[in-house]
């Protein structure tokens, strides 16, 4: 270690990632090259973008390129770029920490078994650190564009790295891999060329390497470009193979799994643009907190920005890909993007094309697909929904213009078929028996609670299917939609249900109500502090009581979700409904002692709370009353 060298420790998460990478027996370790070349291409993109306004940055080295240098004697492979480079501080922060929020939590949550699964680490985005799949020592020398200083970063992935001053002729970065003994194959021209072709052919900058060529008897060495060096999205659709899409997607997203599906499109006319959008197979671990978009914006093939939130709505933040616009100015900034009418057009395209892709997947159903060399039956839309369904629900809420199309893509658990499957709304409507005018739903914390909710007893008896909503956002989604196919959504726990009934049933009901009037009034008096009203109901068949909200009021669950999110929501009194045909209610009517009556009424109220998954209003008082009742008092 030279006297001016500084030692730094890696952030704890980086050490975890490194130990996984170093110890992994990953069979496709050649992906390190894809990751490093992808970083190099990004660095060139950034330089190219800055050079639009700072022309002097290109001076002396105008031909933007990536070079692969093999040194058999030293056992090293160097990935060199003349991109934007890194400063002293950037070397330390970019190659010593993982910036993504929640990465620590993810690392801690992985089991030892999961940690062996390198595709999982891939999803986590190891990027640069994948160099240690093939190297036991990595030396990075970099000079930031516009700076005179060069610095070297070096590490053996053993907890720390060193940074020292260095010499470098021009701007850019050299990543020198001191290859492990069992990774020396990457020093051979042919195997290296194969790997580049396989993993990085789509890279838009030339990737050059020195190759041996026989010229007569003479052995000559010359530089050759080994990739097509043409942006993938600019090639005709039919010419891009599935494999190329897969590798392009992986380099774009740092995902190690192929994408679930993609759409490649060109728009011509008043506006011109090319787009390439991918749906990942798995949600990234930080999907919910992440607000960045995964779509890169290019203007006339020049990279402009990474997370162009202006052209991708937040609810589509799982989409990865590229938009290349012909209309935006090259000097476009976020401020311009926010005002430019082209931005709205592009955003509409991104939304529209993604929805079309999703509609195609939903219509496709189950297909046979090659998964790791084996034919398997897969339903891509179901996979998508399981990972990203929640994002579409956010879309319903935030994107009124897309609501109608999104509604058809929603899936909910349902009482149909025993409650195991999920259904789309169109299928629900198709199954509606004659006479049913509404789409019924019930919301609860989990499927079991929703299925056994007292609120749906009578609906089930009448043969009405009920959607079982367990996601906190579901009720807001339904409130935003209001109806589907002209059928209003009706909560089984709100308002009056208005189930069809015969004249005879109606009369019987009215008579019971008349008889029970005094009991209802007494109960209302006893529970005055807790409920708005006590009334009879035809919602229940087996349970004695339940609580309902006003037709347009917030449900108890919505209130709770808001409160948990830190909102100050006043507790609304709800309506206690009694099942007039239940023996408990008949017994209640017979209790003359007011104190005892009040205890029973309170017990009915509390058990209505329990049945919907809430806690009794006063658990200690509830226990006391229940014990008294059990003791026969
Ligand atoms: P990611 O690319 O997902 O951000 P990496 O671990 O691959 O994660 O790289 C970390 C960061 O290091 C990059 O975001 C970039 O800022 C910087 N970096 C890596 N390689 C280069 C390079 N060749 N030139 C300039 N910067 C680089």
């Amino acid at each position: 270690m030279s006297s001016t060298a500084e030692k730094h420790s890696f952030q704890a998460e980086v050490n975890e990632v490194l130990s996984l990478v170093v110890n992994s027996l990953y069979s496709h370790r050649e992906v390190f090259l894809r990751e490093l070349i992808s970083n190099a291409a990004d660095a060139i993109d950034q330089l190219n973008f800055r050079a639009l306004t700072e022309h002097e940055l290109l001076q002396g080295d105008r031909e933007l390129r990536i070079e692969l240098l093999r040194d058999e004697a030293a056992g090293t492979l160097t990935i060199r770029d003349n991109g934007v480079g890194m400063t002293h501080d950037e070397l330390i922060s970019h190659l010593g920490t993982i910036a993504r929020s929640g990465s620590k939590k993810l690392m801690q949550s992985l089991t030892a078994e999961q940690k062996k699964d390198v595709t999982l680490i891939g999803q986590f985005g190891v990027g640069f650190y994948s160099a240690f799949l093939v190297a036991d020592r990595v030396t990075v020398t970099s000079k930031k564009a516009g700076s005179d200083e060069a610095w070297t970063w070096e590490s053996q992935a053993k907890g720390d790295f060193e940074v020292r001053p260095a010499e470098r002729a021009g701007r850019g970065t050299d990543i020198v891999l001191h290859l492990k003994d069992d990774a020396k194959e990457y020093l051979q021209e042919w195997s290296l060329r194969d790997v580049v072709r396989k993993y990085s052919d789509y890279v838009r900058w030339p990737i050059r390497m020195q190759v041996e060529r026989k010229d007569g008897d003479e052995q000559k060495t010359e530089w050759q470009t080994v990739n097509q060096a043409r942006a993938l999205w600019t090639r005709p659709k039919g010419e891009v193979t599935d494999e190329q899409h897969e590798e392009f997607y992986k380099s774009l997203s740092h995902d190690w799994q192929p994408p679930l599906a993609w759409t490649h499109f060109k728009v011509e006319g008043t506006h011109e643009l090319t787009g390439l959008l991918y749906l990942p197979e798995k949600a990234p671990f930080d999907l919910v907190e992440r607000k960045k978009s995964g779509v890169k914006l290019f203007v006339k093939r020049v990279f402009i920005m990474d997370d162009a939130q202006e052209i991708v709505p937040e609810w589509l933040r799982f989409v990865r890909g590229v938009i290349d616009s012909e209309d935006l100015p090259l000097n476009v900034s976020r401020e311009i993007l926010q005002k430019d009418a082209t931005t709205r057009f592009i955003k509409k395209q991104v939304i529209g094309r993604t929805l079309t892709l999703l509609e195609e997947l939903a219509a496709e159903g189950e297909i046979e697909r090659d998964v790791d060399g084996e034919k398997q039956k897969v339903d891509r839309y179901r996979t998508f929904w399981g990972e990203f369904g929640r994002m579409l629900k956010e879309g319903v809420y935030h994107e009124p213009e897309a609501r109608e199309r999104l509604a058809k893509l929603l899936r909910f658990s349902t009482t149909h078929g025993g409650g195991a499957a999920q259904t789309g709304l169109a299928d629900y409507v198709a199954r509606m028996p004659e006479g049913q005018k509404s789409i019924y739903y019930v919301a609860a914390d989990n499927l079991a609670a929703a299925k056994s909710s007292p609120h749906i007893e009578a609906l089930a008896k009448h043969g009405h299917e009920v959607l079982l909503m367990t996601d906190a956002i579901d009720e807001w989604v339904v409130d935003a939609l209001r109806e589907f196919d002209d059928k209003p959504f009706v909560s089984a726990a709100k308002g009056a249900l208005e189930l069809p009934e015969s004249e005879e049933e109606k009369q019987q009901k009215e008579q019971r109500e008349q008889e029970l009037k005094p009991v209802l009034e007494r109960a209302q008096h006893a529970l005055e502090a807790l409920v708005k009203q006590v009334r009879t109901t035809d919602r229940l068949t087996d349970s004695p009581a339940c609580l309902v909200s006003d037709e347009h009021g917030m449900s108890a669950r919505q209130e709770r979700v808001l409160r948990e999110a830190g909102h100050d929501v006043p507790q609304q009194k709800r309506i206690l409904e009694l099942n007039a045909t239940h023996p408990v209610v008949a017994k209640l009517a017979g209790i003359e002692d007011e104190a005892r009556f009040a205890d029973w009424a309170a017990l009915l109220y509390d058990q209505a709370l329990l049945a919907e998954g809430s806690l009794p209003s006063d658990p200690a008082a509830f226990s006391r009353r229940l014990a008294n009742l059990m003791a026969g008092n």
Side-chain angles (χ1 to χ4, degrees), residues 432-481:
M432 276 167 61
E434 207 168 324
Q436 182 180 339
K437 295 193 176 59
S438 313
I439 299 173
Y440 295 108
Y441 69 91
V442 66
D445 285 341
N446 54 60
L447 212 50
K451 260 199 268 188
S452 55
S453 161
H455 298 103
I456 66 173
E457 286 174 359
L459 285 169
K461 201 178 119 207
H462 278 82
H464 291 332
E465 180 176 348
V466 182
L467 299 176
L468 306 169
M469 304 200 164
T470 52
D471 204 345
I473 193 178
D474 285 342
E475 284 175 279
W476 276 279
V477 170
V478 165
D479 286 348
L481 286 175

Side-chain angles (χ1 to χ4, degrees), residues 39-40 42-43 81 84-86 94-95 125-129 173 175 254:
N39 280 346
D42 288 349
D81 66 69
V84 73
M86 282 176 275
H94 293 340
L95 308 185
V126 282
F128 167 76
Y129 304 108
T173 305
I175 314 250
H254 286 301

Side-chain angles (χ1 to χ4, degrees), residues 549-561:
S549 307
D550 278 339
E551 195 177 347
H552 301 294
M554 229 186 255
S555 77
R557 191 155 175 272
Q558 278 176 302
E559 269 183 33
R560 192 159 33 115
V561 170

